Amino acid sequence: MNILEMALSQYGVTEINGSKDHPQIISYFNELGFDGAQLHDETAWCSAFANWVAKKSGYSYSGKLNARSWLNVGQSTNTPGVGDVVVLWRESRTSWKGHVGFFIKETKGFVYVLGGNQNNKVCIQAYPKNRVLEYKKLTKNG
């Protein structure tokens, strides 16, 4: 299964409000070696989702829960294709905070990203292009 198919297979997975956690979101953490039961589905999980998808698809991945860790994975590109990684800044370009997901398409002003923890679920969302830090092409493992 390629990256896009793997990510789309999770479309609609949504956080559960309150003390219960969505078991699939917990598994994103667990399969990366983190304790999902300790982290809960309210923990920022965009990077956990991207790691899970890349790992399950046999591609390189960051293994970290911060979105900007993806700046150190794969090859930078100025011409992203469907399924490439999009790393965005959050709050400010210089903060440590970010968001990560998979490239779907772009328009003049927006990039469309398939990612986890977008409105607390796996979905496609548009982000202003000026928030993009980098596009990355992942390398296949093996």
Side-chain angles (χ1 to χ4, degrees), residues 3-140:
I3 280 184
L4 192 61
E5 291 168 333
M6 186 63 70
L8 283 170
S9 78
Q10 303 299 298
Y11 201 92
V13 169
T14 305
E15 289 176 20
I16 299 171
N17 285 332
S19 60
K20 290 196 184 312
D21 295 315
H22 193 296
Q24 187 59 25
I25 295 171
I26 299 307
S27 78
Y28 300 151
F29 292 119
N30 291 343
E31 290 191 41
L32 296 165
F34 295 96
D35 185 351
Q38 289 268 312
L39 292 169
H40 304 290
D41 65 8
E42 280 85 20
T43 300
W45 52 276
C46 66
S47 186
F49 172 75
N51 273 288
W52 183 89
V53 168
K55 182 180 181 185
K56 287 277 202 199
S57 307
Y59 283 84
S60 54
Y61 57 97
S62 79
K64 298 188 168 101
L65 297 181
N66 59 315
R68 290 184 184 225
S69 65
W70 287 87
L71 293 170
N72 303 315
V73 181
Q75 303 263 334
S76 295
T77 181
N78 292 323
T79 54
V82 173
D84 285 346
V85 170
V86 182
V87 185
L88 301 128
W89 57 266
R90 208 158 43 91
E91 289 185 7
S92 81
R93 192 172 273 284
T94 55
S95 92
W96 63 271
K97 295 180 179 179
H99 183 66
V100 64
F102 300 100
F103 182 86
I104 297 297
K105 72 173 192 169
E106 61 186 327
T107 60
K108 186 173 178 179
F110 292 90
V111 58
Y112 288 77
V113 176
L114 169 57
N117 204 19
Q118 297 182 163
N119 288 333
N120 298 330
K121 63 186 175 207
V122 177
C123 65
I124 296 171
Q125 195 167 314
Y127 292 91
K129 274 190 167 166
N130 66 3
R131 293 223 358 236
V132 173
L133 287 171
E134 223 168 317
Y135 297 112
K136 305 292 270 190
K137 290 197 176 297
L138 299 181
T139 49
K140 192 88 170 147

